[in-house]
Amino acid sequence: MKTLSYGEITDGGLSVFQSVARLEDDGRLVLTFEGAIRIDNPYRYLSGYLDELARVLPQYPINATTMDFVKMRFCNSNGFYVIMDIVDAVYNLVPGPVVVRRISDDDWQHETLPILLNLSEEHIAARTTFDDVREP
C-alpha cells in the first residue's frame, strides 16, 4: 500500500475532514472521505489535494477504484463542489470500475452521492456500483 495524496480541513485547529488517496498492492485506488464539510470555502483547504491528485493519479497503473464514504457524516452545499471535483478527477484520470462504499441506511448518502458522482452521465453510471454497508 502506498499513500498518494492527503487532504484535510481544519476548523479551530481541529481536523474535521480528511480524504486520503492510496494505491493498494493489487493496483486498486482507494479514496477515503471522513468527517464533515461545514465551512464556507473548502477549496481553501483542499485545492492542493486536488492539484496533487491530478498530478499523481496518471503516474500509476490503477485498474479499479474504491471511493469510501462510510465515515463521511455531512457535506454542506459549499462542500458539494469540492467533492464533485475530487470525484471528477478520479473518473477522468483513472480507468476501470468504481465501487462506492456508503452506509446502507443513511438518507443523506443515498440521496446526495448519486448527484455528487454525476451518475446522470451514462459513461460514469456504467462504471459505478454501490457497496452498501452497515454503519460502523
Side-chain angles (χ1 to χ4, degrees):
M1 173 180 69
K2 175 180 179 150
T3 299
L4 303 179
S5 189
Y6 174 79
E8 178 179 46
I9 295 174
T10 58
D11 188 15
L14 298 174
S15 179
V16 295
F17 173 82
Q18 307 86 39
S19 181
V20 177
R22 70 180 192 271
L23 184 63
E24 296 293 325
D25 294 335
D26 63 1
R28 183 174 39 96
L29 173 67
V30 176
L31 194 64
T32 58
F33 300 87
E34 183 175 339
I37 299 177
R38 299 180 191 277
I39 63 172
D40 290 333
N41 185 4
Y43 281 102
R44 185 174 92 206
Y45 294 92
L46 297 176
S47 63
Y49 178 55
L50 283 163
D51 293 342
E52 183 75 1
L53 287 174
R55 187 182 68 74
V56 300
L57 291 180
Q59 297 177 17
Y60 293 93
I62 299 167
N63 57 36
T65 300
T66 298
M67 291 190 219
D68 191 342
F69 290 91
V70 170
K71 293 183 179 179
M72 185 165 183
R73 296 294 174 222
F74 179 78
C75 182
N76 67 10
S77 58
N78 294 319
F80 287 176
Y81 297 105
V82 75
I83 295 297
M84 290 171 79
D85 285 349
I86 294 168
V87 166
D88 282 348
V90 171
Y91 278 107
N92 291 328
L93 298 171
V94 177
V98 177
V99 174
V100 177
R101 295 186 77 236
R102 64 184 178 182
I103 298 174
S104 58
D105 61 353
D106 186 303
D107 291 340
W108 177 86
Q109 289 192 357
H110 280 263
E111 294 169 7
T112 307
L113 284 178
I115 296 165
L116 298 181
L117 296 168
N118 203 14
L119 292 185
S120 61
E121 295 289 330
E122 194 172 304
H123 68 283
I124 291 175
R127 293 176 57 190
T128 306
T129 57
F130 286 95
D131 178 15
D132 293 331
V133 299
R134 291 185 179 264
E135 189 163 357

